[in-house]
Amino acid sequence: MILRHVTIDCAEPYELARFWSEVTGWPVSGEDSPGDPEVLVEAPAPLPGLLFIRVPEDKTVKNRVHFDWMPDERSRDAEVERLLGLGARVHEDHRTPDGLGWVTLLDPEGNEFCIERSAGERETT
C-alpha cells in the first residue's frame, strides 16, 4: 500500500495550498486554480502530496493529526520566524532555556503543526 495524499479539510483550498507550498517549497499542481474545490500540493516522490478539499464546516476543535516538521535549511527558530512571515501564528511555544523543545504553530485556517529542532541542532545537544 502507498500513501498517496494527506487530505486537509478547509474553507479556501487554493489559498491554503499556496501557504503550504511556500512552507514546503513544493509546487501547487498546475491543474489547480483559485476557486477549485480541491487543490494539490505536489510533494517529491516518495512523499505523499497535500490535498486541500473545501468543506462547509468550520474547524472547531484541535486537529486529531498534525504535521511535525524538522527544518533542513535553517534552525528551528529561524524556520519559525520564516513561517510567521508567511502567515502562520504561534499557538504554543514549548522551547526551553537549554535550547530543546518545539513550537506549535497554526496555519491561516487554524490547523496545528509543529516545528522541531533541525538535525544540526540535535547533533549539538
Side-chain angles (χ1 to χ4, degrees):
M1 194 165 353
I2 297 171
L3 180 59
R4 184 168 175 220
H5 300 132
V6 174
T7 302
I8 301 162
D9 292 348
C10 60
E12 299 294 337
Y14 191 80
E15 289 76 11
L16 198 55
R18 287 185 54 220
F19 169 81
W20 281 102
S21 175
E22 289 291 322
V23 168
T24 61
W26 306 339
V28 172
S29 172
E31 297 178 13
D32 295 321
S33 59
D36 285 353
E38 298 179 1
V39 179
L40 177 64
V41 174
E42 298 175 329
L47 299 175
L50 303 177
L51 181 61
F52 298 88
I53 297 180
R54 180 176 291 117
V55 298
E57 305 86 14
D58 290 333
K59 181 180 181 299
T60 58
V61 298
K62 184 181 184 310
N63 295 5
R64 297 294 297 265
V65 175
H66 70 263
F67 299 116
D68 289 342
W69 297 96
M70 183 174 71
D72 58 356
E73 296 180 3
R74 55 190 64 82
S75 70
R76 173 201 57 208
D77 295 346
E79 185 66 9
V80 167
E81 290 305 313
R82 183 182 81 84
L83 298 175
L84 292 174
L86 294 175
R89 296 170 286 146
V90 173
H91 178 61
E92 296 175 337
D93 193 332
H94 298 278
R95 292 177 279 194
T96 59
D98 61 3
L100 300 176
W102 68 96
V103 179
T104 303
L105 299 173
L106 300 175
D107 74 12
E109 290 204 15
N111 299 301
E112 299 91 357
F113 65 101
C114 294
I115 303 299
E116 300 179 352
R117 293 178 303 139
S118 68
E121 291 170 302
R122 291 169 185 272
E123 292 173 3
T124 62
T125 56

